Amino acid sequence: MIQSMTGYGKSVLQLPTKKISIEVKSLNSKNLDLNTRMPSMYREKELAIRKLIASKLIRGKIDFSLYIEITGEEISTQINKTVVKQYIKQLKDLINTGEETEYLKMAIRMPDALTTEREEIDENEWSEIAAIIDSSLEKIQQYRLDEGQMMEDDFIGRVNIISSLLDAVITMDPDRIDGVRERLTKGIADIKEKVDENRFEQELVYYIEKFDITEEKVRLKNHLEYFQKALKSDDSNGKKLGFISQEMGREINTIGSKSNHAPMQKLVVQMKDELEKIKEQLLNVL
């Protein structure tokens, strides 16, 4: 079953003093393009998170975000009281005409007035966070599978349309060849010249062979069957399906260039239209 590269997953963990939110979003991309956002205290875990995401999501433009909302009384930033008091004392010595609150406002903006303690990661807490990261990745994988199923249904529908148009081409082909033969015979008759019938028949066969699309019809039919089979395979992916669609396009283009028959060319245009829609969707297949 195919997967889409588009997806979204979110999980939330409520701890005693903080709420942790994990969000994972992905869009289509030729390769893995991973961007992570998280507080500095969790940066030491970034490499492990990247490896985990790469192993599960494989490809796409992926944004991973870890948010923290403090809900308890713990805060990492503290006022350096000793430093602030020294600043206030110096300000008073410099100009002793202001109010105490004015000195405090100025002092609190001075360097080192605030200190931020680097928190160490609690391993028990991290194991809970790792669990919701896994949960978010499972959600985005399920999202990708669900969207992939819708895309698969669309592909099958469009391939069936192309197959029906190909059947119409196959049905039309004998009349097209007869028409080519009649036009050539009439052309020779119009110029009112006597020709060698054997030579004319040889030239006619050679000319008609240039318009023969038997091989293209067979190959296109095989490509359509292979495309549907590949959709159901375990190793199905956007690149593989893209290669098959390119081969389908070559056969359709050749049929169009060889047809020399307006009704058949109309069918070819319809086939091209359906194939282009398939190719557009394939850009989003994992």
Side-chain angles (χ1 to χ4, degrees), residues 57-279:
L57 300 186
I58 303 172
R59 192 159 66 99
K61 179 176 174 57
I62 299 163
D63 288 320
F64 171 87
S65 301
L66 190 159
Y67 301 105
I68 294 180
E69 180 183 343
I70 302 298
T71 58
E73 296 180 354
E74 292 184 6
I75 54 174
S76 59
T77 302
Q78 304 287 335
I79 297 175
N80 193 330
K81 296 179 182 178
T82 303
V83 172
V84 171
K85 286 179 180 178
Q86 285 298 319
Y87 280 137
I88 291 173
K89 183 176 182 300
Q90 291 178 42
L91 288 166
K92 283 183 177 179
D93 291 342
L94 182 63
I95 178 170
N96 194 14
T97 58
E99 297 180 3
E100 195 78 15
T101 54
E102 294 301 319
Y103 293 130
L104 180 58
K105 288 178 183 179
M106 289 186 282
I108 205 69
R109 290 195 289 266
M110 296 293 186
D112 301 322
L114 301 176
T115 60
T116 301
E117 297 178 2
R118 177 173 172 79
E119 296 183 53
E120 295 297 325
I121 297 178
D122 182 278
E123 289 303 321
N124 292 328
E125 178 184 294
W126 178 251
S127 65
E128 294 185 66
I129 296 173
I132 67 166
I133 292 175
D134 276 332
S135 175
S136 297
L137 292 176
E138 287 174 7
K139 289 176 181 177
I140 194 172
Q141 284 177 303
Q142 188 58 51
Y143 191 112
R144 283 178 155 195
L145 282 169
D146 292 342
E147 188 162 309
Q149 182 61 60
M150 289 189 291
M151 293 170 67
E152 181 178 319
D153 294 340
D154 183 69
F155 288 144
I156 291 173
R158 297 193 185 282
V159 166
N160 287 337
I161 291 172
I162 296 174
S163 184
S164 297
L165 292 167
L166 177 59
D167 289 340
V169 166
I170 293 170
T171 302
M172 184 184 295
D173 198 29
D175 292 337
R176 176 184 70 97
I177 295 298
D178 289 342
V180 172
R181 185 186 297 272
E182 287 174 10
R183 288 198 302 273
L184 290 174
T185 303
K186 185 176 182 299
I188 292 295
D190 287 345
I191 62 176
K192 298 179 180 179
E193 290 287 339
K194 189 175 181 180
V195 296
D196 185 311
E197 290 296 328
N198 289 331
R199 178 63 185 273
F200 173 68
E201 190 64 29
Q202 289 174 3
E203 293 293 335
L204 184 62
V205 169
Y206 172 77
Y207 187 73
I208 288 176
E209 281 180 350
K210 292 176 65 177
F211 291 93
D212 183 64
I213 58 171
T214 303
E215 290 184 9
E216 287 77 10
K217 291 184 294 186
V218 172
R219 284 197 294 263
L220 178 55
K221 196 168 190 66
N222 289 337
H223 293 329
L224 291 169
E225 291 172 357
Y226 185 40
F227 187 91
Q228 295 204 60
K229 183 179 178 181
L231 276 175
K232 301 292 185 182
S233 66
D234 293 335
D235 64 341
S236 180
N237 61 76
K239 291 182 179 179
K240 179 179 179 180
L241 294 170
F243 296 145
I244 301 171
S245 69
Q246 286 177 10
E247 295 303 315
M248 290 159 57
R250 286 194 183 96
E251 304 306 333
I252 292 172
N253 286 335
T254 305
I255 290 172
S257 64
K258 283 186 173 184
S259 66
N260 195 28
H261 185 59
M264 186 177 287
Q265 286 174 333
K266 288 180 181 179
L267 296 176
V268 167
V269 169
Q270 293 176 56
M271 285 194 280
K272 286 182 177 181
D273 183 48
E274 294 299 327
L275 184 60
E276 281 305 306
K277 291 172 182 174
I278 288 174
K279 286 181 176 180

